[in-house]
Amino acid sequence: MREKPTMSPSETTPLLLVHVAPQRHRYPHNKLRRAFTFTLGLLLVTALVLFLFPSALLPREGGSLWSYLPWAHPYPESWPNGHGLDYEELQTLLLGTPSAAREREWSKYYTAAPHLAGKNLSQALWTKERWEEFGITDTKIVSYDVYLNYPVDHRLALLEGNKVTFEASLEEDVLEEDSTSGLPDRVPTFHGYSASGNVTAPFVYVNFGTYADFEDLVNANVSLAGKVAIAKYGRIFRGLKVKRAQELGAVGVILYDDPQQDGEFTEENGYKPYPEGPARQPSAVQRGSTQFLSFAPGDPTTPGWPSKPGSDRQDPHDFIPSIPSIPVSYTEVLPLLKALNGHGPKASDFNEWWQGGGLGYKGVQYNIGPSPDDVTINLYNEQEYVTTPIWNVIGVIPGSLPDVVILGNHRDAWIAGGAGDPNSGSAVLNDVIRSFGEALKAGWKPLRTIVFASWDGEEYGLLGSTEWVEDNLPWLSKSNVAYLNVDVSASGTLLRPTASPLLNKLIYEVTGLVQSPNQTVKGQTVRDVWDGHIGTMGSGSDFTAFQDFAGIPSYDLGFTRGRQDPVYHYHSNYDSFDWMQRFGDPQWLYHEASSKIWALAAAKLAETPVLFFNATDYGLGLEEYVDRIRPTAENLPSNMSFDFGPLYDAITKFQRAAIEFDAHGADLTSQLDEDLPWYLWWKKVRLFYLIHEVNSKYKNIERQFLYQPGLDGRNWFKHVVFAPGLWTGYAGTTYPSLVESLEAGDVANAEKWRSIIIERVDAATRLLR
Ligand SMILES: *[C@@H]1O[C@H](CO)[C@@H](O)[C@H](O)[C@H]1NC(C)=O
Ligand SMILES: *[C@@H]1O[C@H](CO)[C@@H](O)[C@H](O)[C@H]1NC(C)=O
Ligand SMILES: *[C@@H]1O[C@H](CO)[C@@H](O)[C@H](O)[C@H]1NC(C)=O
Ligand SMILES: *[C@@H]1O[C@H](CO)[C@@H](O)[C@H](O)[C@H]1NC(C)=O
Ligand SMILES: *[C@@H]1O[C@H](CO)[C@@H](O)[C@H](O)[C@H]1NC(C)=O
Ligand SMILES: *[C@@H]1O[C@H](CO)[C@@H](O)[C@H](O)[C@H]1NC(C)=O
Ligand SMILES: [Zn+2]
């Protein structure tokens, strides 16, 4: 964490004006005196300006009082060429320093031993030491006390009457070719935040366990009450599957990865499984959190405030399950699914969402069940719940301005490995920092402050980042211009960014500067190979608190699995160094490209005098998002209707203001290049002041979309444009509470939300005018 500035521009400006103004009003009838006072005031201000101006010429440290005065705004005289490196030199350095070999070496370190949240302090200390070595002298460990669970014991068995017909091992195979798959202290298969319990009950197959899947079951009169639900992973966040099952009376949940989700590379299609081939290792088990992520991330006992020793805590069960759940491999779910053959309706008789399943060739007919009363599952799950420290590592490169650009990646993994999730990002973050360290050694000092974060506890529910944002909210609201997240930097070859539209321009710019690891066409950049699609922000990584709680424009960026890539063993023991070396990124070049993209994005944001944002893109996004949700209103009953017109009108006004505002910013940027004779120094001072104003507006656009009472039914989420889908979790939804009201057929509430959104859009428009 960075020290908070003692004084901000907005605080100092009124103070100085007050000095002059009251005197002017004291003798309203005496013209002479008024003139005298006015002249005196003018002289005083001039004297001040003259006093300040020379000081503006001097190089100064970020923290000095003068640097906070608007007219002495410290875009240094020496800038842009006097900060040790000019921008071109900095860019060359950031493109030249990252090294696949080093990233491989650091990946090897992080993925050598377990590093579950709160369990591996030495990795935090090691990370801190590396960053200090690279030259980030201000590096700290920032710890929070969070509520979470560790696995103790589990069992999954199939019974006929009292007879055990199948006993699951709940273990992943130890592979000779995969050195961490056989560690004696490897992490058992379990779910974060799952409840302890021991249930024996008949069971039901619930497809992907989406809200709609459960609705289909309700409509087909298949009861979940008292049953164990078996669901495939995929389509939505796993915790929401458990949540809905629990609401419908299920007593336990079993989740597994069906090869249906693996595309072309399946054993059924003749591909060999890992470690020989690109198909899924049949014993792989996906761990993961069952928190109700779309309702609130972070420590579920402290929603909205930081988890420190002695913090108030509440019952967590609004945000985590009360029924037990466990993950299994597709091999071990086979006997359970086969036991349903011939019982109840078939998935294939249901709608399109129920079609398909990758285990048909193994004899699974995908009957829904329920199983006969005497065919039951015994699901036993024992979790130890503790309140325990987790450790974020926070490093700071102080800039000349108090504004901050933050780069973050989580360090904790479900397993010893985590070569993709998250340590492909951790290795790359280290190399980004090393690159900036090289720039520091060359005498560079950034214009804006850069903060690096290695989060702990992300996997359970974005704990480290959420608690840190909750802890530092006033400072972040004032100073944080953007948050750049990389979770999995490389698990395939497909670039799939999600971002606030303010950052679209940045992503297009920097991906166009980095060579693609795919040189099928020589010289092609990452931008050339990418389809150019930027998604909206949902959840599932550490940007969530920044974007949705604090209103800080954020992106999440990395190379994920494309259609032509080997199966990625997400959250399983085989997301390992050996898998990465053989299949994921054998040359480590997607790692290297990621570090260059990240470093350049940070540099652009930190160094460009007029922030590298585009408000027009936000305006275009706002309109596109309304287009996207319109069909929801078409599904309303025929006696109801909803008018999007007023919302479009507000957005049109925002767009006009944004176009003008971006043009104004571009104009100021071009004025920076003008060579002025020395006696026109005041023009430069004025320009600095105008740029400062534009930047503080750019910085605050995203904040305008926050609505402090929060979204319906989940008031931790404050952003009226972006949120994770209530029942999807990972995927983003736009205008969340509005769209949810329309889906529920509650037009009155939809109209209330339309007003709230219009009010927020209008506030953003006023800000830009
Ligand atoms: C933490 O991770 C490091 C490196 O991966 C390893 O050397 C160390 O043994 C681990 N510590 C624990 C407690 O597992
Ligand atoms: C779970 O419950 C069953 C009875 O339903 C019992 O036989 C078994 O011992 C229990 N398991 C544990 C580990 O307590
Ligand atoms: C479900 O049950 C209701 C009432 O018992 C019945 O009217 C309906 O036809 C049933 N639906 C199906 C798909 O069986
Ligand atoms: C590599 O680049 C070529 C040419 O641009 C493209 O057709 C191909 O899909 C790319 N392959 C991958 C894996 O990105
Ligand atoms: C629409 O019709 C339904 C019955 O079909 C009724 O319950 C509802 O109150 C009506 N809504 C309005 C806004 O008229
Ligand atoms: C902002 O984005 C719009 C639309 O993408 C584009 O036309 C405009 O040139 C951009 N302006 C700046 C200053 O980047
Ligand atoms: Zn992750």
Side-chain angles (χ1 to χ4, degrees):
M1 199 183 99
R2 181 181 171 275
E3 283 203 339
K4 295 163 197 183
T6 47
M7 208 176 273
S8 77
S10 54
E11 281 162 352
T12 49
T13 316
L15 264 179
L16 282 154
L17 295 178
V18 164
H19 261 313
V20 184
Q23 294 197 4
R24 225 191 316 177
H25 291 286
R26 207 170 287 161
Y27 308 102
H29 307 298
N30 191 330
K31 279 185 184 172
L32 207 71
R33 271 183 194 227
R34 207 195 298 169
F36 175 74
T37 315
F38 181 72
T39 315
L40 193 74
L42 203 69
L43 277 172
L44 235 143
V45 169
T46 314
L48 244 173
V49 169
L50 283 175
F51 171 65
L52 295 173
F53 178 63
S55 78
L57 278 169
L58 300 173
R60 71 174 77 81
E61 292 308 315
S64 92
L65 176 65
W66 306 128
S67 67
Y68 296 104
L69 299 174
W71 45 75
H73 214 269
Y75 292 105
E77 287 315 292
S78 48
W79 183 88
N81 296 315
H83 260 156
L85 292 174
D86 70 22
Y87 190 77
E88 293 301 317
E89 288 168 327
L90 176 66
Q91 182 167 302
T92 305
L93 216 152
L94 297 178
L95 282 171
T97 307
S99 127
R102 280 185 202 249
E103 288 159 17
R104 179 181 185 280
E105 183 189 316
W106 293 326
S107 168
K108 180 107 195 152
Y109 167 78
Y110 284 118
T111 60
H115 45 299
L116 205 53
K119 285 283 196 186
N120 196 314
L121 176 58
S122 71
Q123 287 204 2
L125 295 168
W126 183 92
T127 301
K128 176 175 183 281
E129 278 163 26
R130 294 293 80 66
W131 294 6
E132 284 164 349
E133 252 168 44
F134 302 149
I136 315 301
T137 47
D138 179 4
T139 300
K140 296 190 179 70
I141 296 210
V142 180
S143 135
Y144 294 95
D145 270 24
V146 297
Y147 180 76
L148 47 68
N149 63 312
Y150 295 120
V152 178
D153 198 3
H154 55 192
R155 181 199 190 203
L156 177 66
L158 180 64
L159 294 98
E160 265 183 58
N162 287 330
K163 198 172 122 246
V164 175
T165 55
F166 170 66
E167 181 84 47
S169 74
L170 303 177
E171 285 259 11
E172 300 180 273
D173 291 354
V174 173
L175 308 175
E176 212 175 289
E177 296 86 343
D178 190 308
S179 61
T180 48
S181 68
L183 290 181
D185 58 350
R186 61 188 181 274
V187 183
T189 56
F190 78 112
H191 280 146
Y193 289 125
S194 86
S196 293
N198 179 10
V199 295
T200 303
F203 51 102
V204 175
Y205 167 73
V206 301
N207 199 33
F208 287 93
T210 66
Y211 193 92
D213 290 340
F214 283 116
E215 283 303 283
D216 293 337
L217 290 176
V218 169
N219 292 333
N221 294 338
V222 176
S223 168
L224 266 280
K227 307 284 194 308
V228 170
I230 303 179
K232 296 181 279 197
Y233 276 123
R235 298 201 179 151
I236 65 166
F237 186 74
R238 68 183 82 64
L240 302 174
K241 302 177 188 224
V242 179
K243 181 172 200 287
R244 192 61 191 151
Q246 174 182 320
E247 287 171 359
L248 293 174
V251 295
V253 176
I254 294 166
L255 296 174
Y256 78 100
D257 273 307
D258 195 295
Q260 177 188 358
Q261 297 294 91
D262 294 344
E264 176 60 19
F265 290 130
T266 59
E267 283 192 275
E268 188 185 5
N269 287 345
Y271 291 97
K272 284 223 163 9
Y274 178 72
E276 283 84 28
R280 179 180 299 277
Q281 159 56 233
S283 73
V285 178
Q286 179 187 145
R287 294 157 190 76
S289 174
T290 53
Q291 191 185 42
F292 305 156
L293 188 63
S294 55
F295 291 79
D299 183 334
T301 66
T302 65
W305 65 93
S307 294
K308 296 184 166 174
S311 287
D312 279 348
R313 291 180 188 264
Q314 68 174 43
D315 183 277
H317 289 94
D318 283 348
F319 307 116
I320 63 174
S322 311
I323 59 170
S325 66
I326 52 174
V328 292
S329 67
Y330 82 67
T331 300
E332 297 214 299
V333 86
L334 277 175
L336 311 181
L337 292 178
K338 283 205 231 169
L340 290 176
N341 285 351
H343 299 287
K346 276 187 157 188
S348 55
D349 298 333
F350 278 49
N351 60 43
E352 65 197 287
W353 299 101
W354 287 76
Q355 304 306 311
L359 298 173
Y361 79 110
K362 297 267 192 190
V364 175
Q365 290 167 17
Y366 292 100
N367 282 80
I368 282 155
S371 61
D373 283 349
D374 67 333
V375 178
T376 56
I377 282 175
N378 174 229
L379 189 171
Y380 164 64
N381 187 38
E382 193 181 334
Q383 299 294 325
E384 180 196 16
Y385 271 90
V386 291
T387 298
T388 193
I390 55 168
W391 308 282
N392 297 332
V393 183
I394 305 288
V396 181
I397 304 181
S400 299
L401 296 181
D403 279 349
V404 181
V405 177
I406 303 180
L407 280 64
N409 155 264
H410 73 94
R411 194 181 60 250
D412 65 303
W414 283 121
I415 44 190
D421 182 6
N423 302 120
S424 59
S426 319
V428 158
L429 179 58
N430 284 353
D431 227 13
V432 168
I433 298 174
R434 187 173 66 89
S435 305
F436 280 119
E438 291 301 311
L440 291 173
K441 278 179 208 150
W444 169 74
K445 172 174 182 172
L447 185 61
R448 299 187 179 85
T449 296
I450 306 180
V451 171
F452 303 102
S454 168
W455 309 117
D456 197 0
E458 187 269 359
E459 290 292 1
Y460 280 83
L462 325 178
L463 308 183
S465 59
T466 302
E467 300 311 314
W468 190 77
V469 170
E470 290 171 346
D471 198 12
N472 292 285
L473 191 61
W475 167 56
L476 294 172
S477 298
K478 191 186 286 177
S479 307
N480 190 3
V481 300
Y483 173 68
L484 309 180
N485 192 65
V486 172
D487 188 324
V488 182
S489 83
S491 62
T493 59
L494 189 70
L495 188 73
R496 271 184 44 198
T498 58
S500 158
L502 276 175
L503 300 176
N504 289 359
K505 166 172 152 175
L506 176 76
I507 296 173
Y508 291 126
E509 168 83 9
V510 298
T511 51
L513 294 169
V514 175
Q515 293 286 299
S516 171
N518 171 357
Q519 288 296 310
T520 307
V521 173
K522 211 169 172 331
Q524 69 185 348
T525 63
V526 171
R527 173 82 187 85
D528 295 329
V529 186
W530 168 43
D531 67 6
H533 179 73
I534 299 176
T536 56
M537 310 221 82
S539 187
S541 196
D542 293 304
F543 55 80
T544 309
F546 289 91
Q547 179 73 44
D548 298 340
F549 183 77
I552 290 152
S554 304
Y555 83 36
D556 186 44
L557 192 148
F559 292 96
T560 60
R561 184 189 172 215
R563 249 193 278 272
Q564 312 152 27
D565 301 330
V567 171
Y568 173 53
H569 294 79
Y570 175 65
H571 289 182
S572 121
N573 267 350
Y574 314 117
D575 180 8
S576 60
F577 182 85
D578 291 312
W579 176 85
M580 187 62 79
Q581 181 66 66
R582 266 172 192 244
F583 291 101
D585 188 11
Q587 327 238 269
W588 301 82
L589 291 178
Y590 283 90
H591 282 74
E592 194 183 290
S594 292
S595 56
K596 292 175 183 173
I597 294 170
W598 208 1
L600 287 190
K604 271 271 178 246
L605 288 176
E607 291 296 271
T608 312
V610 175
L611 271 172
F612 206 77
F613 285 177
N614 186 309
T616 308
D617 285 337
Y618 213 118
L620 294 172
L622 290 175
E623 184 182 341
E624 193 195 314
Y625 307 149
V626 184
D627 296 344
R628 206 183 286 175
I629 65 166
R630 277 173 72 122
T632 332
E634 283 152 23
N635 293 334
L636 286 169
S638 57
N639 63 346
M640 298 179 196
S641 70
F642 182 80
D643 183 10
F644 285 102
L647 186 49
Y648 278 118
D649 293 345
I651 291 170
T652 305
K653 282 186 221 142
F654 175 81
Q655 288 173 337
R656 289 204 193 107
I659 290 169
E660 226 169 90
F661 184 75
D662 287 335
H664 175 54
D667 180 47
L668 295 180
T669 299
S670 67
Q671 287 182 39
L672 272 167
D673 295 335
E674 281 171 22
D675 262 334
L676 293 174
W678 68 267
Y679 53 84
L680 287 180
W681 55 267
W682 56 272
K683 273 201 161 182
K684 219 163 194 190
V685 173
R686 182 170 163 273
L687 183 58
F688 291 159
Y689 180 74
L690 291 173
I691 289 178
H692 173 70
E693 195 187 7
V694 164
N695 285 338
S696 87
K697 289 184 172 188
Y698 265 137
K699 183 170 64 180
N700 282 304
I701 295 174
E702 195 80 57
R703 315 277 198 276
Q704 304 310 306
F705 295 105
L706 297 182
Y707 174 65
Q708 283 313 326
L711 301 183
D712 286 341
R714 41 173 174 163
N715 64 14
W716 184 91
F717 284 93
K718 312 288 186 198
H719 205 295
V720 301
V721 183
F722 301 115
L726 195 57
W727 287 103
T728 65
Y730 290 124
T733 189
T734 52
Y735 304 116
S737 284
L738 170 58
V739 86
E740 285 151 21
S741 308
L742 289 173
E743 277 164 1
D746 188 346
V747 173
N749 204 50
E751 283 166 352
K752 181 192 107 182
W753 275 101
R754 184 180 60 200
S755 307
I756 293 169
I757 296 165
I758 289 174
E759 187 192 303
R760 296 291 83 222
V761 174
D762 287 348
T765 308
R766 280 196 303 277
L767 173 77
L768 296 190
R769 284 218 174 108

